Amino acid sequence: MKIGELAKATGTQVETIRYYEREGLLPETTRTEGNYRIYGEAHAERLSFIRHCRSLDMTLEEIRVLLRFKDAPNENCGEVNALLDEHIGHVAARIRELRSLERQLKGLRDLCQEARDAAHCGILNELARQGSEGGSSAAGHVHGAHGRSVERKSIKDKRK
Amino acid sequence: MKIGELAKATGTQVETIRYYEREGLLPETTRTEGNYRIYGEAHAERLSFIRHCRSLDMTLEEIRVLLRFKDAPNENCGEVNALLDEHIGHVAARIRELRSLERQLKGLRDLCQEARDAAHCGILNELARQGSEGGSSAAGHVHGAHGRSVERKSIKDKRK
DNA sequence: CTTGACTCTTTAGTTGCTACAGGGTTTCCA
DNA sequence: TGGAAACCCTGTAGCAACTAAAGAGTCAAG
């Protein structure tokens, strides 16, 4: 099948497939005379595996490790367990961070119940306070903990 | 004060300050003869405000909106409340996603209790299954929901 | 034979920084 | 006074995992 069919079959975008090939997650395929990539069932399965892992929020690097195990079926899979345990740890840590963040945000929101002028807005005033390290509030550790991005989307809609 | 002092005073990196200036979050400053930026208290407060917002995981775009309100203190701050409510919604949604993810990962982990050869590893076998839409498992909605990245860090340590 | 759908490569954009490279300036200490 | 260290400047490239678009070629149907 051609790349568009593979894309449809796996629910992946065409560009993403080419990207995975560049990244070495999918092997380079044979081509038609017209230089079109052609794929078989094995490719579809491998791509499904990758997408499944991605839906579990694994990084491409983690997936690379798992693929190495799939490609070497006689290896001991202890490292697979370890990788998954570590990934679970990441997710759990991020949940804890976000919960602390949620508490802070709700506390902040409570400072301004109704709309008035910005100069007296409890939220803006609180955000302007020198919080830095005086208040050892969760801000410090939430911030440093690397898990960026809560969501994006309204942004890209905007340019449409 | 010079940029390094401002950086120390607010716990921000120098490059980050210059970046905020490029992005229009901080105004361009006057310079010394030697072309050094000089800052005053107002700059320090504004930067603290920004960093405080960032520690609450707001995007620069959201912060831009808040700064507009701070700069126009007679405006009605209803939009501030709305922005914060929306942000809280993002965080809550991401928490729900991650919890669902955590459940899936733990279920997956249970499939392989001890290390054996990769060909019989329950985890690898499960991940290889065509999950797509057959299983309407959380995979679908977790994936599409835009909140990428659980954490990163071991990666950058590697290059040291 | 032409239109449209598909494919190709290459490049740049996204977010919020961080880290250079390759300079100039200031300050401190001997 | 001289020279090294510590600071500052601009500009550019890199991170993750794509996404989009430019500009060109290929293929199938009407």
Side-chain angles (χ1 to χ4, degrees):
Chain A
M1 55 185 144
K2 286 187 290 180
I3 198 168
E5 305 172 71
L6 177 63
K8 206 160 292 177
T10 58
T12 312
Q13 286 205 244
V14 167
E15 293 94 341
T16 304
I17 296 174
R18 287 196 280 249
Y19 171 72
Y20 287 162
E21 180 184 310
R22 268 202 309 285
E23 289 295 303
L25 294 170
L26 290 173
E28 296 189 15
T29 65
T30 50
R31 305 282 183 117
T32 66
E33 299 166 38
N35 199 33
Y36 285 14
R37 292 168 178 85
I38 35 179
Y39 297 95
E41 257 317 297
H43 293 101
E45 279 168 36
R46 194 177 180 88
L47 180 53
S48 291
F49 180 92
I50 294 168
R51 295 306 291 174
H52 196 164
C53 292
R54 284 294 298 137
S55 81
L56 296 174
D57 229 359
M58 293 179 195
T59 64
L60 297 190
E61 192 49 43
E62 288 172 318
I63 297 169
R64 246 182 280 269
V65 172
L66 293 182
L67 285 171
R68 267 206 299 281
F69 280 96
K70 268 180 74 68
D71 292 342
N74 296 323
E75 292 280 327
N76 183 295
C77 74
E79 204 183 317
V80 171
N81 296 355
L83 186 151
L84 204 53
D85 284 337
E86 201 190 346
H87 186 56
I88 290 170
H90 296 167
V91 172
R94 185 68 180 140
I95 289 172
R96 279 195 303 277
E97 285 175 14
L98 286 176
R99 276 222 275 257
S100 154
L101 185 54
E102 189 182 30
R103 268 196 307 278
Q104 288 178 73
L105 288 168
K106 284 180 172 165
L108 192 57
R109 179 62 181 83
D110 285 345
L111 296 179
C112 184
Q113 292 306 336
E114 73 267 14
R116 44 196 143 170
D117 57 330
H120 300 100
C121 175
I123 293 172
L124 290 177
N125 287 327
E126 176 61 24
L127 283 172
R129 278 188 35 214
Q130 309 285 107
S132 54
E133 40 72 65
S136 91
S137 68
H141 76 262
V142 167
H143 159 250
H146 22 276
R148 273 298 136 270
S149 112
V150 166
E151 82 114 44
R152 219 46 44 207
K153 143 192 175 187
S154 33
I155 287 167
K156 69 171 64 162
D157 295 346
K158 218 163 277 180
R159 84 181 59 267
K160 187 59 175 302
Chain B
M1 55 185 144
K2 286 186 290 180
I3 198 168
E5 305 171 72
L6 177 63
K8 207 159 293 177
T10 58
T12 313
Q13 286 206 240
V14 167
E15 293 95 339
T16 304
I17 297 174
R18 287 195 281 247
Y19 171 72
Y20 287 161
E21 180 184 310
R22 268 201 310 284
E23 290 295 302
L25 295 170
L26 290 174
E28 296 190 14
T29 64
T30 50
R31 305 280 183 118
T32 65
E33 298 165 38
N35 199 32
Y36 285 14
R37 292 168 177 86
I38 35 179
Y39 298 94
E41 257 317 297
H43 294 100
E45 278 168 36
R46 192 176 182 88
L47 180 53
S48 291
F49 180 92
I50 295 168
R51 295 306 290 173
H52 196 164
C53 292
R54 284 294 298 138
S55 81
L56 295 174
D57 228 358
M58 294 178 194
T59 64
L60 297 190
E61 192 48 44
E62 288 171 318
I63 296 168
R64 247 183 280 268
V65 173
L66 294 183
L67 285 171
R68 267 205 299 281
F69 280 94
K70 268 180 72 70
D71 292 342
N74 296 324
E75 291 281 327
N76 184 295
C77 75
E79 205 184 315
V80 171
N81 296 356
L83 187 151
L84 203 53
D85 284 337
E86 202 190 344
H87 186 56
I88 290 171
H90 297 167
V91 172
R94 186 66 181 141
I95 289 172
R96 279 195 301 280
E97 286 174 14
L98 286 177
R99 276 221 275 255
S100 154
L101 185 55
E102 189 181 31
R103 269 197 305 279
Q104 288 177 72
L105 288 169
K106 284 179 173 167
L108 193 57
R109 179 62 180 84
D110 285 343
L111 296 179
C112 185
Q113 292 306 337
E114 73 267 15
R116 43 196 145 170
D117 57 332
H120 301 100
C121 175
I123 294 172
L124 289 177
N125 287 327
E126 176 62 23
L127 283 173
R129 278 188 36 214
Q130 309 286 108
S132 53
E133 40 71 66
S136 90
S137 67
H141 76 262
V142 168
H143 158 249
H146 22 276
R148 277 293 139 270
S149 114
V150 166
E151 84 112 45
R152 218 46 42 209
K153 146 193 174 183
S154 33
I155 288 167
K156 69 171 66 161
D157 294 346
K158 218 165 278 178
R159 85 181 59 265
K160 187 55 177 301

